[in-house]
Amino acid sequence: MPMDELCFLWIFFCFLLSFWQGLPMAALFTLTADYFLLFTENYAAGLSFFLLVQIAYLQNLRMQPFPIGTIFIFPLALLFPLPLLGICYALLFFLHINLAMKKVQPSCSKKLYLFGLFLFLCCDLTVAWGYFHTPNPRLIWLFYAPSQLLLTVPARVTPIR
């Protein structure tokens, strides 16, 4: 089985796990983003779905429901150039990290969530590096695959104070 299909199966597995303890909407957006990034050349669509992923996680940390109107970000985001989408994504992701570090109380599952964010950051830095140089998909997936599992499993069980 080719690497892209195997990796996509991993993300699908994380999506299924999200119904047990995670955030299914964030996992669905992740699955959709990965589909666009792995199997199409529509990177703007993939990155736009990752914007929605970050919004879903932020709302979870704020203990607020996902604002369904936010889905309209997707078609609007497709109008922006890829580097601008990347900047928007990076801002949301760093807001996610900052809020998680402030709100997530220490416990095993919460530390796993923060470690998942760290691995996700490493993945994104590897992707950004690959944007300017030759990307290394194996290194990207070395960070990304475990980050998705660590973000999926403890996402819902992470009480915010």
Side-chain angles (χ1 to χ4, degrees):
M1 177 177 286
M3 185 173 160
D4 287 347
E5 284 83 1
L6 185 62
C7 294
F8 190 73
L9 280 175
W10 179 259
I11 300 306
F12 184 74
F13 171 70
C14 290
F15 169 67
L16 294 177
L17 277 179
S18 75
F19 286 95
W20 176 51
Q21 285 187 316
L23 298 171
M25 185 170 288
L28 177 63
F29 290 149
T30 299
L31 187 68
T32 307
D34 284 336
Y35 172 80
F36 280 107
L37 294 173
L38 290 172
F39 303 116
T40 76
E41 292 188 17
N42 194 343
Y43 302 121
L47 201 47
S48 297
F49 271 103
F50 271 124
L51 292 173
L52 295 173
V53 169
Q54 292 305 319
I55 292 168
Y57 278 119
L58 283 166
Q59 291 301 100
N60 180 58
L61 287 169
R62 292 179 179 136
M63 296 183 74
Q64 297 175 354
F66 182 83
I68 208 68
T70 308
I71 291 176
F72 292 111
I73 284 177
F74 177 74
L76 290 174
L78 292 175
L79 301 174
F80 291 96
L82 202 54
L84 185 57
L85 281 175
I87 291 169
C88 292
Y89 168 78
L91 291 173
L92 282 174
F93 186 64
F94 285 117
L95 184 60
H96 179 183
I97 291 172
N98 184 43
L99 191 59
M101 288 175 52
K102 287 179 182 178
K103 295 220 171 196
V104 173
Q105 302 300 316
S107 80
C108 184
S109 68
K110 293 154 192 106
K111 288 177 185 174
L112 289 175
Y113 184 82
L114 291 174
F115 186 59
L117 280 176
F118 172 74
L119 290 174
F120 202 6
L121 176 62
C122 292
C123 169
D124 284 348
L125 291 173
T126 305
V127 169
W129 180 260
Y131 186 75
F132 298 106
H133 301 284
T134 305
N136 184 340
R138 292 183 196 270
L139 185 59
I140 291 168
W141 281 96
L142 179 70
F143 294 123
Y144 186 64
S147 79
Q148 292 309 296
L149 183 64
L150 293 174
L151 291 175
T152 299
V153 173
R156 184 70 54 110
V157 296
T158 305
I160 314 299
R161 296 191 190 213

